[in-house]
Amino acid sequence: MARKRNPVRPTDPMEIARRRAAERLRAQDPATWGADAQALAMPANAAVAVEALPGGRVVRAQRQDVFETFRARGSLSPAGYDAVRRLQDDLATLHRTHAGRVDYSPRVDRSRTADSFADRRLRAGERIEAAMALTGAASARLLSALCEGDVVHGRAADWRAVVATVAGERLPDAQGALIRAACENLAGAYAALDNGRRRAG
C-alpha cells in the first residue's frame, strides 16, 4: 500500500512579506554591512590589513601606512606613533568640508555655538602650525608630505618616493631613519606644547 504524501502547503503571503521586511532592515543596519571582500582583494588594496571571521566575513579592514608598518615592527616608539596620528587627526579636521551637514546642536537666542565648524578648523590649523614650528623645518616638511596626501586624498603615498623627493635621501635604511626621527621630533614638539599649556593653565 502506497504511503500518502503530505501535500506541500503554500507559504503564507504575510510570512513572505515579514521575511522580506526583516531582510530589508538587516540590509539597512550598518552593523551588518562589513567590508567588501572582493574590493579588498584587488591589487590597489594590497596594503590593507584584513581581519575576517571563519566564514569569510570581513569584520575589520585598515590601510597600513608607513607609520603603522614601523610601529608593528617595533621600530617606532608609541609616543612617535601617537604624535603622527594626532597630526593626522588635526589635518583631517583642517581639510574637512561642511558637506551640507545639518547642525542640530542647541542654540540660545539663535546664537552660534562657541565650537562651530569654522572654529574647529581654525584651532586645528593653529595646533598644526605650533607643532610643526617646534618639530624643525626638515621634519615638518617630511611629515607634511607623508600625511597630507593620505588625509586629503585618502590614499597612502609611496613613502620611499616622498622621502627621496623631500629629503633627497635614496638609501633605504636612511629613509626609514629619517621618518622615525621626524616622528620623534613631532612627539617632542607635542610634549613641549602640552607642558606649556599645563603651566599656563
Side-chain angles (χ1 to χ4, degrees), residues 18 30 69 95 109 144 161 163:
R18 274 193 286 278
T69 302
H95 292 290
D109 296 333
S144 292
V163 175

Side-chain angles (χ1 to χ4, degrees), residues 156-172:
D158 176 2
W159 66 271
R160 290 199 183 276
V162 170
V163 175
T165 302
V166 173
E169 184 58 68
R170 285 172 171 43
L171 295 173

Side-chain angles (χ1 to χ4, degrees), residues 166-187:
V166 173
E169 184 58 68
R170 285 172 171 43
L171 295 173
D173 289 342
Q175 288 177 332
L178 282 174
I179 291 175
R180 288 191 295 274
C183 293
E184 296 307 322
N185 290 342
L186 182 63

Side-chain angles (χ1 to χ4, degrees), residues 81-179:
Y81 179 78
D82 291 342
V84 168
R85 294 303 183 221
R86 188 172 168 182
L87 174 65
Q88 288 174 325
D89 286 345
D90 277 340
L91 285 167
T93 301
L94 180 66
H95 292 290
R96 190 171 292 138
T97 59
H98 218 327
R101 185 178 148 265
V102 179
D103 185 10
Y104 293 109
S105 59
R107 296 173 190 266
V108 178
D109 296 333
R110 297 186 182 196
S111 64
R112 292 185 59 116
T113 61
D115 195 29
S116 72
F117 176 75
D119 292 337
R120 286 192 299 272
R121 288 184 66 197
L122 182 64
R123 284 197 305 275
E126 289 170 351
R127 286 191 301 267
I128 292 167
E129 189 176 336
M132 291 305 206
L134 292 175
T135 299
S139 293
R141 274 194 310 275
L142 183 58
L143 290 171
S144 292
L146 288 167
C147 295
E148 287 270 351
D150 192 16
V151 168
V152 176
H153 303 296
R155 63 178 181 271
D158 176 2
W159 66 271
R160 290 199 183 276
V162 170
V163 175
T165 302
V166 173
E169 184 58 68
R170 285 172 171 43
L171 295 173
D173 289 342
Q175 288 177 332
L178 282 174
I179 291 175

